[in-house]
Amino acid sequence: MTSGVDKLISGYRKYRESIHAQHRSLVEQLVTHGQQPEVAVVACSDSRVDPAILFQADPGDLFMVRNVANLVPPMEEEGTYHGTSAALEFAVLGLGVKHIVVLGHAHCGGIKLMMEPDPYDSAFKFVPAWVSMLNAAHRRVLATMTNASSDERTRACEQNAVLVSLENLTTFPWVRERIDKGELQLHGWYVDIAGPDLSVYDWERGKFVEVV
Ligand SMILES: [Zn+2]
C-alpha cells in the first residue's frame, strides 16, 4: 500500500511531467523576474481547504499564509516569532499584494477547540492560546444566538473568526495606509466543502452572501 509520503513523491513526479511542463514558460518568468502575486490568502492549516486546489490557482498566483483557524493576530510590538505577521508584512511591504483574502471554513477543528472547553485540559498548549483571540467573538455569539442550534453557533463562530482577522489586519499600520490609499483591499470568504459552497462577506450588508 502506498504511504502518505510515497503518494507525495509520485505526486511530484506527476507535477513535473504535467503541471510544470504545462507552465514551463510561466515558471521561467517567475524565476527570472521573481514572484508578483496580486493576492495573499490567509487560510486554515486544515488539509481539506487548500486554497490552491479550491481556487485552481497557477504558480505565482497566491501568496499563502496558513495557520490554525485562519487567524490574523493583532499588531504586537513585543515578541520575536510572529510567523503570521511576518508573512503578511512580506506580502504587503515586500510584494505589494493588492488583495488579502481571509478564508474561513466549515468544520474547523481550531474553532471547535475554542468553543469546547474540554481540550483545554489536554496536552495542547499553543492552540488554546492562539484561538483565544476569538473568545470575545465567541461570547458575543453565545449572548446573541440563544435560540440557535449548535451548528448555527459553530458557523457563526467560524465566520466571526474571519471578521476578527479582518479587523486585526487593520491594526497593522502598513495595511491601514494602503487601504486608505486604495492600493489594498481586504476580503472575507467562507467555504463549506461539503456543499460545496463559497460565501463572501458583503461589507455593506454586514453578512456573508453565498456566491458559488
Ligand atoms: Zn480550520
Side-chain angles (χ1 to χ4, degrees):
M1 208 173 118
T2 317
S3 80
V5 285
D6 288 339
K7 189 182 169 191
L8 297 185
I9 300 294
S10 72
Y12 190 79
R13 228 168 249 127
K14 279 186 219 155
Y15 161 78
R16 203 162 75 161
E17 285 158 15
S18 57
I19 310 283
H20 179 76
Q22 190 186 322
H23 291 295
R24 185 174 289 278
S25 66
L26 170 65
V27 172
E28 278 167 9
Q29 205 184 328
L30 289 168
V31 170
T32 310
H33 302 291
Q35 59 169 331
Q36 292 176 311
E38 277 195 23
V39 182
V41 180
V42 180
C44 187
S45 301
D46 193 303
S47 58
R48 301 163 295 180
V49 286
D50 184 337
I53 296 173
L54 292 177
F55 303 123
Q56 296 287 287
D58 288 329
D61 279 351
L62 300 179
F63 187 87
M64 204 92 78
V65 187
R66 297 185 73 176
N67 61 41
V68 171
N70 40 265
L71 294 175
V72 175
M75 163 83 182
E76 283 180 327
E77 298 288 353
E78 300 301 318
T80 308
Y81 303 120
H82 295 290
T84 295
S85 306
L88 288 166
E89 185 177 72
F90 199 96
V92 175
L93 290 184
L95 301 171
V97 295
K98 295 184 171 70
H99 304 271
I100 299 176
V101 175
V102 177
L103 178 69
H105 73 104
H107 314 292
C108 181
I111 302 290
K112 188 166 182 277
L113 190 144
M114 186 274 300
M115 293 178 75
E116 293 173 8
D118 283 0
Y120 283 82
D121 299 322
S122 75
F124 282 133
K125 174 189 172 190
F126 296 109
V127 180
W130 175 247
V131 295
S132 73
M133 74 177 91
L134 298 173
N135 286 351
H138 183 211
R139 280 195 297 273
R140 273 198 302 277
V141 165
L142 290 177
T144 55
M145 297 181 68
T146 44
N147 295 322
S149 68
S150 134
D151 283 353
E152 285 167 338
R153 279 200 293 269
T154 300
R155 179 169 283 247
C157 280
E158 288 162 348
Q159 295 188 339
N160 267 288
V162 174
L163 303 184
V164 168
S165 292
L166 291 173
E167 198 177 312
N168 286 344
L169 268 169
T170 63
T171 63
F172 293 85
W174 26 268
V175 167
R176 189 72 264 165
E177 200 181 295
R178 278 158 182 77
I179 291 172
D180 291 344
K181 283 187 189 163
E183 295 169 359
L184 177 66
Q185 283 179 28
L186 305 185
H187 309 266
W189 294 1
Y190 177 82
V191 69
D192 183 349
I193 57 159
D197 309 309
L198 177 70
S199 301
V200 166
Y201 187 70
D202 184 323
W203 293 93
E204 282 176 15
R205 291 155 78 185
K207 63 175 190 175
F208 282 86
V209 177
E210 199 174 298
V211 290
V212 185

